[in-house]
Amino acid sequence: MRSHLARLTFVGIAYVCINAAAFAESDRWAKCRGADVDARITACSVIVTKGQGAKSDRADAYFNRSVAYRTKGDFDAALADLDKALQLNPKSAPALIERASIYQARGDFDRAIADYGKALRFDQTLARAYAGRARAYQGKGDRDKALADFDEAVRLDPASASLRVDRGAIYQAKGDYDRAIADYDTALERDPSMASVHNSRGLAFLAKGDFDRALADFSEAIELDPKLTDAFLDRANVYRDKQDFARARQDLESALRLDPERASAKASLDELNKRVAEKTKRAPIATSERPSPLVSAVLLRVGPIPITRPVVTTWAIILVLSIGSWLMTRRFRSAPDRREALLELLLTGIMSQIEDVIRKDSRPFLPLIGTLFIFLVAANLSPILPGVEAPTSKLETPAALALIVFVSVHYFGMRTRGFFGYLASFAEPKLIMLPLNIISEVTRTFSLMVRLFGNVMSGEFVIGLVVALAGLFVPIPLMLLEILLGIIQAYIFTVLATVFIGAAIGSVEKG
């Protein structure tokens, strides 16, 4: 009985010892593969010191300890462990890639390329090995081989944004900006928050001469990372090329605040200040300067769309006319008062003029012709208010109105004659007249635009010149004449629009 009990006790103690040893071994491997660097080195050292287990296990311990050494910055110890791991398991692709990356970090690109090549001989599906070798080739300046390896890495891992960025950088360095932009686009689709990629794409757009897109990308990079000095410098270059020296100076000063020792920023700012000083010296002194009528002041931007002064003035006129129309027509009486009599006089006058021109019922055409006339009178007379410029004195407003007339002419022509009947009218009286009639449609619309723009703009220019030379009260008679001319220009524009519509519907002879 006692001997049987002794045997059971011995078996139990042995079982506990074996389990304890297995648990200790398991815990040691967990620490060897864990995140605690010091504990990892200690646990892996115990495993390799014991020298027990399969070669693959000891190679794994050396590999894990090398990663820990690299994390601590001890590259020599990391390389020594990787050499031992590869002696035990020469076909370990992860160990070869890890050793190659250390060689690459130390600038030994030839050894790095050799190790990446060995890893790929054992496993040709390693996108990381292709990418690493590509960067090593790039470090040696061999862009063609780097590009070939990046192509293979992207094929194996098409979802990787970083691979697209690296390949795009090589395309950009080779001057293939379209492919570079395509790779940057794909990377930003996967991760739009990469400020440096926006900046790189901006440089590619800048190299292509697309300043607006480059400016948008640099601005986006700065918004994502306000400490990205390169983006400020690159955007400053765009502003400088666009002659926007104030914004260029702001960006250069921002770059210097971020990096006071940035020599390129200091040099660019000094050069910019010299250019501004020289331009100021060369600029003539003028008491009055009038901007070009072909250029409109931008008041604000809605995304990429500029909102100019004529656009804002036009919106204000439309708003005032709409509110005024509603107030004047909301309460009609059986016995008309002066307000209603004035509206009736205006309405019957416009209808009578339309019927005199096209010799048909004026009601289908009244909304267009009447609105054009009232708007043009208001627009041409708007400079009476201080600080307001007539929107018709800038090219875009007459162009928009002429385009409205152009579309309306063809609309009324097709509605009256039918689609094919209206098209056939362009071949009248002979088929040979077809190209001339088409050219006439375009040129008369252009003439309508230029006539309105030129007359209103020249009137404002003359008054401004007289005010600058003669004082405030002398040009008052000219201003009264300008009011009369503004009404006449509105009348001429609407009458010509009516004539064009009449020709389209066949009630007025073309000529």
Side-chain angles (χ1 to χ4, degrees), residues 121-294:
R121 282 199 294 272
F122 298 135
D123 187 351
Q124 295 184 354
T125 64
L126 295 171
R128 182 187 170 194
Y130 279 112
R133 190 170 67 175
R135 295 185 182 101
Y137 279 131
Q138 192 175 5
K140 290 189 67 177
D142 194 338
R143 293 173 183 166
D144 293 328
K145 288 184 178 180
L147 193 57
D149 271 348
F150 273 128
D151 287 340
E152 194 64 27
V154 169
R155 184 186 67 81
L156 293 169
D157 188 7
S160 173
S162 62
L163 291 177
R164 298 277 185 175
V165 173
D166 290 337
R167 189 175 69 173
I170 295 183
Y171 280 134
Q172 190 166 347
K174 288 171 68 69
D176 193 343
Y177 301 112
D178 291 326
R179 289 188 178 180
I181 290 169
D183 269 344
Y184 293 143
D185 288 342
T186 305
L188 288 171
E189 286 175 5
R190 289 165 171 73
D191 186 1
S193 64
M194 293 187 292
S196 60
V197 181
H198 278 288
N199 193 64
S200 297
R201 189 174 67 177
L203 289 172
F205 281 130
L206 185 61
K208 291 187 67 179
D210 194 338
F211 294 104
D212 292 330
R213 288 190 179 182
L215 197 60
D217 262 339
F218 294 144
S219 299
E220 185 67 21
I222 290 170
E223 185 175 346
L224 291 169
D225 185 1
K227 295 184 179 181
L228 190 59
T229 307
D230 288 339
F232 280 107
L233 290 173
D234 294 332
R235 191 171 70 173
N237 290 332
V238 178
Y239 281 138
R240 184 188 59 197
D241 293 339
K242 292 170 74 73
Q243 304 295 310
D244 192 344
F245 297 127
R247 290 185 178 179
R249 182 184 287 109
Q250 288 177 1
D251 276 348
L252 289 172
E253 290 172 349
S254 297
L256 283 172
R257 281 195 297 270
L258 292 170
D259 188 359
E261 302 301 322
R262 192 70 170 259
S264 58
K266 292 179 181 178
S268 297
L269 186 58
D270 290 340
E271 180 189 354
L272 181 65
N273 288 331
K274 289 179 182 178
R275 288 180 63 178
V276 172
E278 291 174 0
K279 186 177 180 181
T280 304
K281 290 179 181 178
R282 291 196 303 265
I285 300 174
T287 56
S288 175
E289 182 178 352
R290 182 176 179 85
S292 169
L294 301 178

Side-chain angles (χ1 to χ4, degrees), residues 339-353:
R339 170 178 58 87
E340 294 178 15
L342 179 63
L343 286 175
E344 184 176 352
L345 179 63
L346 176 64
L347 185 64
T348 54
I350 295 174
M351 293 177 68
S352 174
Q353 185 65 54

Side-chain angles (χ1 to χ4, degrees), residues 329-343:
T329 58
R330 62 175 182 163
R331 292 179 183 175
F332 281 123
R333 302 174 183 175
S334 56
D337 56 10
R338 291 181 180 179
R339 170 178 58 87
E340 294 178 15
L342 179 63
L343 286 175

Side-chain angles (χ1 to χ4, degrees), residues 16 60 77 88 144 188 194 261 295 318 334 351 413 453 473 477:
V16 170
D60 189 31
L88 294 169
D144 293 328
L188 288 171
M194 293 187 292
E261 302 301 322
V295 178
I318 293 172
S334 56
M351 293 177 68
F453 163 67
F473 295 103

